[in-house]
Amino acid sequence: MECCDFNWLLLSIVVGAVFLFTTLYSSYWYKLGVRCPWVPKPLFGHFFESIIGKKHVMAVWELIYQKMGDQPFVGVYNMRTPQLVIKDIDLINCILVKDFNHFNSRGINFDVRSNPLHNNIFVNGGERWRIMRQKMSPGFTFNKLKYMIDQIKECIDCLKLNIDKIVKEESGEIEIRDMMSKYSTDVIGSCAFGLKLDAINDPDSEFRKYGKAVVTPSIRNQIISAILLTQPLLLRLLPKNNRRQETISFFKNAFQQTIQYREKNGIDRKDFVEQLMKAREDLVLNPESKNTDVTFSEMDIVANAYILFIAGFDTVSTTLTCALYELALNSTIQNRVREEIQCEKLKNAGQLNHEFLSNLTYMHMVIKETLRKHPPLGILERVVTEPYKIPGSNVTLENGTKIIIPIRSIQHDPKYYSNPDEFDPERFSKENESNLYPNTYYPFGDGPRLCLGKRFAELEMKIALSEILSNFEILPYEKTQIPLQYIIGSFVNAPENVWLIFKPINT
Ligand code: HEM
């Protein structure tokens, strides 16, 4: 064979292989008799525009939701990964709650061998998840949370002093996402790592630096996500990442130092560290492993402290940012929340305790409406862990099928929430809430994998809003972007550059 012919043959084989690699998967849904919202693009599937950074991924999920019309579910391809998107509310309830045994995992494809911090309750499924959830849950009970109020109060005091300083020195203009991220970093650093971080005042805080690095979108992370959805084996071709090793060591050392310090000094503080130390005692030092093959290492405990930090700081700071933004634009609602705070403070002799916080019913409605309009996680994920026949259809889902529940779109569907773009806390008043369409509100997920930190997050947000609103009036100004602009490529649906003015209230 001549050299030229050989080159052509080689090229044809390569082109043919690439064509097959990028298109073969796309008959998956067709073979199961499941419709797609539109024809997928080779390799990119239905997510071409978000992968090239032209659209926010939430805009693509919203478009899919719109195109679904009355169909209970459709199949999409995220790169080469088939995912089933569910719109039917009853089916969602089956997946999350009634038939949970068929969907006990999120199916997140992290490589836990190369990054052991990913071996945590959020990523794990099956028995490993069940055991860890059982060990961690007692740390989130009403009684335990009561003890954490003082730890949170210390952080809000620092935040208040910092705002005071900005108001005096810089005319009160604040980029609130950054400010709220520092506050939530301090809170979760204190409760999950037992450390007084002071990220609010310390621009070089290591925790803030690592937390920021994890949630800030980077090209490398985007490439990794795309590879995971295409062919996870290709990850091995990526050059080694030294930053990852640094992050692992940082969190490992921080947690181990806290454990040593507490053990040596006999410190007894009712927080998540205490719960994780108990889990370490039961699962690592004296494993009870009577009926299970699952084993846990020191690093697994660190990984779970890490996930509390990651799950806890960006979600809370995003929600607080969106709440303050909405309150700045709706002064009547802001005044009503402030009046409620002042009235309850008077009744409670100024004490910011559990009783005071649970009486803030209007603030609770405001937080609920914020989470309806701006859920930090726009989708819920599950994976089929036992084959499942979708009720009322001929479709049987095999193990490993990925499921997506587009909660942001559901919470913006005018069928369930009239004027969905309007910020209206009254939807969640006692009288109105019972008229809402059931099972259409999922900011914290649902079923056995419901957010573990829900009550803690509500507590933390109420303390922050109480202290901010009783001391400052929040106003929009020319630098405030309306509507909010979301960061493309971030895991949490996070707004960026949210500038507001804080004016002190003379009480
Ligand atoms: C406004 C704040 C928060 C929001 C909106 C939020 C939302 C969520 C959502 C949607 C999930 C997935 C639920 C599902 O798949 O059904 C989740 C899981 C989780 N969240 Fe949160 N979260 C928040 C704050 C927190 C905080 C403060 C912590 C910890 C201190 C936390 C810890 C977790 C954990 C550990 C899981 C995994 C639970 C499991 O798989 O068993 N979250 N969260």
Side-chain angles (χ1 to χ4, degrees):
M1 193 187 291
E2 283 186 21
C3 176
C4 184
D5 291 344
F6 180 75
N7 285 347
W8 275 112
L9 181 66
L10 197 65
L11 186 68
S12 317
I13 291 173
V14 171
V15 171
V18 170
F19 179 78
L20 286 179
F21 181 74
T22 57
T23 54
L24 250 193
Y25 66 92
S26 62
S27 57
Y28 184 86
W29 291 123
Y30 177 76
K31 283 187 196 147
L32 273 183
V34 174
R35 288 167 72 171
C36 289
W38 62 83
V39 181
K41 287 207 166 30
L43 187 64
F44 296 98
H46 293 90
F47 289 81
F48 178 68
E49 288 179 305
S50 69
I51 283 160
I52 62 165
K54 204 171 147 197
K55 264 193 184 157
H56 194 287
V57 69
M58 274 306 131
V60 180
W61 287 120
E62 177 61 25
L63 190 64
I64 292 169
Y65 188 84
Q66 298 298 336
K67 293 263 179 201
M68 285 173 83
D70 290 334
Q71 293 172 81
F73 52 85
V74 294
V76 297
Y77 300 93
N78 200 341
M79 300 293 289
R80 295 176 78 237
T81 301
Q83 296 176 326
L84 191 74
V85 188
I86 316 287
K87 189 169 187 179
D88 182 83
I89 298 299
D90 294 333
L91 181 54
I92 291 176
N93 195 249
C94 288
I95 292 170
L96 296 179
V97 187
K98 284 195 204 134
D99 298 324
F100 173 75
N101 287 342
H102 295 257
F103 308 91
N104 69 41
S105 181
R106 295 201 170 84
I108 299 175
N109 274 342
F110 284 142
D111 181 1
V112 294
R113 270 169 311 176
S114 62
N115 189 347
L117 290 176
H118 288 152
N119 206 3
N120 60 52
I121 184 173
F122 195 90
V123 175
N124 294 155
E127 192 63 355
R128 178 166 279 277
W129 162 75
R130 193 190 59 75
I131 295 173
M132 198 36 93
R133 177 112 189 174
Q134 205 182 47
K135 292 288 169 200
M136 288 170 76
S137 295
F140 292 84
T141 55
F142 168 76
N143 267 339
K144 287 281 171 65
L145 294 183
K146 256 190 349 198
Y147 288 103
M148 286 183 236
I149 293 182
D150 284 340
Q151 276 168 256
I152 303 177
K153 262 175 14 192
E154 278 182 27
C155 305
I156 197 68
D157 288 344
C158 291
L159 176 76
K160 207 193 132 257
L161 285 177
N162 195 268
I163 300 179
D164 274 338
K165 202 168 140 217
I166 296 177
V167 167
K168 277 192 196 116
E169 292 170 9
E170 296 162 41
S171 65
E173 295 180 16
I174 296 181
E175 200 289 287
I176 51 167
R177 190 169 126 75
D178 184 52
M179 176 74 85
M180 294 303 125
S181 299
K182 288 174 179 165
Y183 162 70
S184 58
T185 300
D186 276 0
V187 171
I188 200 72
S190 168
C191 299
F193 281 84
L195 300 170
K196 189 165 167 29
L197 302 179
D198 199 16
I200 291 168
N201 291 303
D202 176 8
D204 300 321
S205 156
E206 290 285 283
F207 263 84
R208 175 77 188 119
K209 192 178 94 189
Y210 284 104
K212 214 171 170 179
V214 174
V215 299
T216 307
S218 68
I219 300 218
R220 186 185 165 91
N221 285 349
Q222 263 157 303
I223 293 174
I224 291 177
S225 307
I227 292 179
L228 284 170
L229 291 161
T230 310
Q231 175 48 267
L233 287 177
L234 292 175
L235 271 188
R236 297 191 182 161
L237 300 178
L238 275 188
K240 242 185 155 25
N241 180 4
N242 295 334
R243 288 272 310 163
R244 179 191 298 156
Q245 216 40 53
E246 209 183 282
T247 312
I248 297 169
S249 305
F250 172 77
F251 281 104
K252 195 172 166 194
N253 292 340
F255 191 66
Q256 283 177 343
Q257 279 165 15
T258 299
I259 295 183
Q260 280 161 13
Y261 182 77
R262 288 200 179 185
E263 281 175 349
K264 201 169 144 204
N265 297 290
I267 290 177
D268 175 24
R269 251 167 69 160
K270 305 256 168 291
D271 57 8
F272 303 140
V273 184
E274 188 203 47
Q275 200 57 42
L276 287 163
M277 282 171 73
K278 174 99 183 55
R280 175 175 173 261
E281 182 80 27
D282 296 346
L283 301 174
V284 183
L285 304 180
N286 306 302
E288 303 153 339
S289 62
K290 289 184 189 97
N291 304 319
T292 171
D293 299 336
V294 183
T295 56
F296 290 85
S297 67
E298 288 277 340
M299 196 58 212
D300 295 338
I301 306 295
V302 177
N304 282 294
Y306 167 81
I307 194 59
L308 292 186
F309 178 71
I310 297 303
F313 96 89
D314 212 22
T315 45
V316 167
S317 61
T318 294
T319 310
L320 282 173
T321 302
C322 295
L324 289 172
Y325 165 85
E326 292 289 356
L327 292 174
L329 298 192
N330 297 281
S331 58
T332 318
I333 300 177
Q334 184 182 153
N335 290 337
R336 195 169 151 197
V337 187
R338 185 172 298 110
E339 274 161 30
E340 180 183 59
I341 299 167
Q342 281 160 352
C343 171
E344 291 304 324
K345 266 194 176 167
L346 273 180
K347 279 197 219 158
N348 223 39
Q351 292 294 310
L352 206 153
N353 54 21
H354 189 79
E355 203 184 344
F356 162 75
L357 295 168
S358 41
N359 286 339
L360 299 173
T361 41
Y362 188 64
M363 186 194 285
H364 196 70
M365 287 157 59
V366 166
I367 292 176
K368 280 194 112 174
E369 175 66 346
T370 306
L371 285 165
R372 179 201 65 82
K373 203 175 160 192
H374 310 279
L377 299 191
I379 54 167
L380 300 180
E381 293 178 74
R382 295 289 185 271
V383 68
V384 178
T385 46
E386 258 181 46
Y388 186 72
K389 182 173 178 307
I390 299 182
S393 81
N394 294 325
V395 178
T396 297
L397 303 172
E398 59 185 16
N399 278 1
T401 311
K402 308 264 177 160
I403 308 286
I404 300 290
I405 297 160
I407 59 171
R408 190 181 189 282
S409 300
I410 294 171
Q411 294 179 183
H412 281 250
D413 190 333
K415 192 166 141 197
Y416 308 129
Y417 296 94
S418 55
N419 302 323
D421 294 331
E422 192 184 319
F423 185 77
D424 179 12
E426 287 305 322
R427 300 175 203 274
F428 296 101
S429 70
K430 222 176 183 177
E431 308 78 65
N432 295 339
E433 200 169 17
S434 52
N435 296 327
L436 287 175
Y437 207 102
N439 301 324
T440 55
Y441 183 75
Y442 292 110
F444 291 103
D446 203 0
R449 293 210 71 151
L450 176 90
C451 172
L452 192 57
K454 176 177 182 285
R455 277 196 254 167
F456 176 76
E458 286 168 351
L459 191 78
E460 185 183 346
M461 294 190 291
K462 281 186 179 174
I463 292 178
L465 291 176
S466 298
E467 284 306 281
I468 293 174
L469 295 173
S470 49
N471 289 288
F472 303 96
E473 187 187 356
I474 324 289
L475 300 159
Y477 68 117
E478 64 277 5
K479 218 170 157 183
T480 312
Q481 300 193 60
I482 303 172
L484 289 175
Q485 303 296 315
Y486 286 92
I487 304 170
I488 288 189
S490 74
F491 178 63
V492 163
N493 245 336
E496 61 184 336
N497 290 328
V498 188
W499 287 92
L500 296 173
I501 290 223
F502 282 54
K503 273 195 177 170
I505 295 174
N506 298 320
T507 43

